[in-house]
Amino acid sequence: MNYDELINSSKVVLVEFFATWCGHCKEMEPVVEQVKELLAGHAEVYQLDVDKNTEAADKANITGTPTFILYKDGRQVWRHSGEVDGTVIMEKAGQAING
């Protein structure tokens, strides 16, 4: 599945770009796992390792990790680089799902 197919795989898609060597990414792991559980059935959540998904990272203009991008109908509606509270992610996802 290429990046365009991935971001269009559901009405609402959350993508996290991370790196295995990134300390901030490791800090976000439990948050992302919880978000995945909470969004199950409402949105697709993908985690892409920038070192293994260089084409997707380039296409999404990733310059730092972690970077979270929320898509609705294939269009970016929210983006955040760095650590972020799970409630913020859920709020943004909820707006995309219900909006």
Side-chain angles (χ1 to χ4, degrees):
M1 181 182 314
N2 69 32
Y3 193 67
D4 287 330
E5 291 169 336
L6 183 134
I7 65 174
N8 285 289
S9 64
S10 182
K11 185 168 180 59
V12 177
V13 176
L14 174 66
V15 181
E16 178 204 14
F17 284 93
F18 73 97
T20 55
W21 44 263
C22 166
H24 294 289
C25 301
K26 286 183 173 60
E27 291 292 320
M28 289 302 300
E29 279 179 21
V31 174
V32 174
E33 286 307 312
Q34 185 177 28
V35 165
K36 274 173 122 171
E37 288 176 26
L38 293 169
L39 289 178
H42 302 285
E44 291 295 325
V45 179
Y46 296 100
Q47 294 173 279
L48 300 179
D49 183 332
V50 295
D51 293 322
K52 294 179 181 172
N53 296 279
T54 53
E55 277 186 46
D58 288 345
K59 190 162 183 79
N61 297 316
I62 302 303
T63 57
T65 54
T67 295
F68 298 89
I69 307 175
L70 187 66
Y71 294 92
K72 181 174 183 174
D73 298 321
R75 286 186 22 253
Q76 180 179 309
V77 293
W78 178 74
R79 181 182 189 115
H80 180 87
S81 291
E83 291 184 38
V84 61
D85 195 284
T87 56
V88 173
I89 298 171
M90 289 304 299
E91 179 184 314
K92 298 298 183 183
Q95 289 170 359
I97 292 165
N98 299 315

